[in-house]
Amino acid sequence: MTTSELSAAAASEALPASLRETLPGRYYTDPTIFTAEQALIFETGWFCAVLAADIPDPGNFETVEVGRESVIVARGRGGEIHAYLNVCRHRGARLCTQDKGSVRRSFQCPYHAWTYGLDGKLTAAPNLTQMPDIDRVEFGLHPVHVREWLGYVWLCLAEAPPSFSDTVIADVAGRLGSPDAIVGYQVADLALGRRITYDVAANWKQIVENFMECYHCGTIHPELTEVLPEFADGLAAQYFVGHGAEFGPDVAGFTVDGSEGLERLPGVGADQDRRYYAITVRPQVFVNLVPDHVVLHRMFPVSAERTIVRCDWLYLPGVVASGADLDRSVELFDRVNRQDFDACERCQVSMDSRSYARGGVLVPSEHHIGEFHDWVRERVG
């Protein structure tokens, strides 16, 4: 242990029983720690990258940053989804510089014109016929593991990916009490009604910690606590396995003013009706379930002090196709997001303060955040 770690350990031992220590401030600002997180968290586990419906046709693609790597996610000619590192195998040029787009049959490197099919196989290159010993599969783009779930494309850069069931699905099951509890929401069959992208000047862990607790809800979320009165008491729904926060008695729907929502998802059971469930899927996904829609956040960490958050509001396809007014539905969580991200940014600016060198404390309703801190420590040291 370093001297600072010994001091932190001593401080932890001296804490009252009702308090637990947080991560030290450097975990939120140190570029070395952020690089370790990219390598040991984001590049080794499953990462929710793309809404599959955003690349519906053969040749459609998106490029995403996963840890330190750029990845191309493309729809193949047979409708299947492929993903591969965005690096030409010849001399390492960035193959595709667009965030999204469409190609007819292949990707061509703009440097020496090495050309790859939608499946990543090398299909052409200048003078390739004069090099008959080149295996076009072996010299194709480096593949990335792909899994589709909840209508999204999940990627894993590890050579041997961890079990999807034991990581991603286990996080959902651990929150809801069963992996089947999310089935009735039919998330993969929903349609995108609205997407808002937020550029947050805060470390990704600040955002995760904020989402996991509701100690702050009575202070900064007046609209949310009107709809979910129990949140005013500071106990997050995630604190209790299987519990969904109940709508207030005079609340008709999960909207900014508590007015009637939209068409209810047909698979939502009576025990799930008029309830809100929040789920953290480590490391970078939040799933929010309410009777008439689902809100899903994907985080894309950019640096130790900056995170892009893409938030999707998903509804029944018929609701979206009908042109129904989604504004009151979207506005509630958009306000919550902006309130939360402002709070995260307020914390971020103090992470380098000598006052926070040893970190802060967690009150009893936040103790479960300590498990997240342990999860980070186990991976990055």
Side-chain angles (χ1 to χ4, degrees), residues 61-274:
F61 70 89
E62 284 195 18
T63 57
V64 293
E65 300 295 320
V66 181
R68 298 162 299 175
E69 296 282 2
S70 175
V71 180
I72 300 173
V73 183
R75 181 78 65 176
R77 296 179 67 182
E80 71 284 359
I81 290 180
H82 301 280
Y84 26 77
L85 299 183
N86 189 11
V87 179
C88 180
R89 292 298 305 282
H90 173 222
R91 296 270 295 282
R94 178 60 59 90
L95 187 65
C96 185
T97 57
Q98 296 173 272
D99 292 337
K100 61 178 61 179
S102 186
V103 295
R104 289 193 62 187
R105 293 179 177 271
S106 58
F107 294 94
Q108 185 175 82
C109 178
Y111 192 8
H112 294 96
W114 278 41
T115 304
Y116 305 88
L118 295 173
D119 59 359
K121 180 182 176 182
L122 178 64
T123 59
N127 307 316
L128 185 60
T129 57
Q130 299 174 25
M131 298 176 276
D133 57 335
I134 291 183
D135 185 315
R136 298 190 183 202
V137 174
E138 182 181 348
F139 283 89
L141 299 174
H142 281 121
V144 171
H145 296 282
V146 172
R147 175 75 181 260
E148 288 189 65
W149 192 60
L150 300 183
Y152 286 80
V153 180
W154 302 68
L155 308 176
C156 184
L157 274 59
E159 186 172 334
S163 164
F164 196 85
S165 295
D166 293 345
T167 53
V168 174
I169 295 177
D171 275 352
V172 174
R175 166 67 189 93
L176 297 180
S178 164
D180 299 327
I182 198 171
V183 172
Y185 291 87
Q186 301 171 292
V187 185
D189 298 325
L190 303 181
L192 180 66
R194 191 78 54 84
R195 172 175 293 151
I196 300 177
T197 298
Y198 307 87
D199 193 335
V200 187
N203 185 277
W204 67 278
K205 296 186 295 299
Q206 293 276 10
I207 300 171
V208 173
E209 293 161 15
N210 172 277
F211 183 74
M212 290 182 71
E213 56 94 355
C214 208
Y215 192 44
H216 66 276
C217 288
T219 307
I220 71 171
H221 293 320
E223 300 87 358
L224 185 63
T225 53
E226 282 291 322
V227 174
L228 305 173
E230 68 185 72
F231 274 15
D233 295 330
L235 289 177
Q238 294 185 69
Y239 191 80
F240 307 101
V241 174
H243 176 71
E246 190 171 5
F247 293 4
D250 298 324
V251 171
F254 197 75
T255 58
V256 70
D257 56 3
S259 57
E260 191 73 32
L262 298 153
E263 184 180 345
R264 183 174 131 186
L265 308 178
V268 171
D271 58 329
Q272 298 169 318
D273 193 22
R274 293 183 53 77

